[in-house]
């Protein structure tokens, strides 16, 4: 079974949209599941990630944020 990925996002965030499509694209090459979480729905997440959005967490570890790198994400997921 593949890794578990969380994409932390917020509304009206072009970088978040890019990150979502990048993860969808990576799913064609690598086996993993991902879900999105809006940081504005959780006070703790909002404080933690406010200026970092989007943030990608793989198996509980933050691996990339902001403008994501497809190459480094692929490496982390393999």
């Amino acid at each position: 079974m593949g890794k578990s990925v969380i994409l932390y996002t917020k509304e009206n965030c072009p970088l978040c949209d890019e990150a979502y499509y990048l993860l969808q694209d990576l799913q064609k090459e690598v086996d993993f599941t991902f879900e999105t979480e809006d940081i504005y729905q959780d006070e703790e997440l909002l404080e933690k990630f406010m200026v970092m959005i989007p943030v990608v967490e793989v198996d509980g570890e933050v691996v990339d944020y902001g403008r994501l790198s497809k190459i480094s994400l692929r490496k982390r997921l393999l």
Side-chain angles (χ1 to χ4, degrees), residues 6-11 13 16 37-55 57:
I6 300 175
L7 173 62
Y8 295 101
T9 67
K10 64 181 182 181
E11 285 186 32
C13 169
C16 299
E37 273 194 50
D38 184 334
I39 61 167
Y40 281 89
Q41 303 305 311
D42 183 318
E43 198 68 35
E44 222 174 274
L45 292 176
L46 182 58
E47 277 184 39
K48 187 175 180 181
F49 296 134
M50 190 180 308
V51 296
M52 295 169 65
I53 291 301
V55 175
E57 191 177 271

Side-chain angles (χ1 to χ4, degrees), residues 5 7 9 14-30 32 34 36 54-56 58 63-77:
V5 174
L7 173 62
T9 67
L15 278 181
C16 299
D17 295 340
E18 271 183 40
Y20 183 86
Y21 295 120
L22 186 146
L23 287 172
Q24 277 190 321
D25 199 39
L26 276 172
Q27 281 184 312
K28 296 171 188 168
E29 308 168 35
V30 184
F32 68 94
F34 83 94
T36 60
V55 175
V56 174
V58 177
V63 297
D64 206 358
Y65 63 91
R67 190 168 292 279
L68 305 180
S69 162
K70 185 174 184 177
I71 293 166
S72 70
L73 277 175
R74 183 187 295 116
K75 286 180 186 172
R76 294 305 303 255
L77 292 166

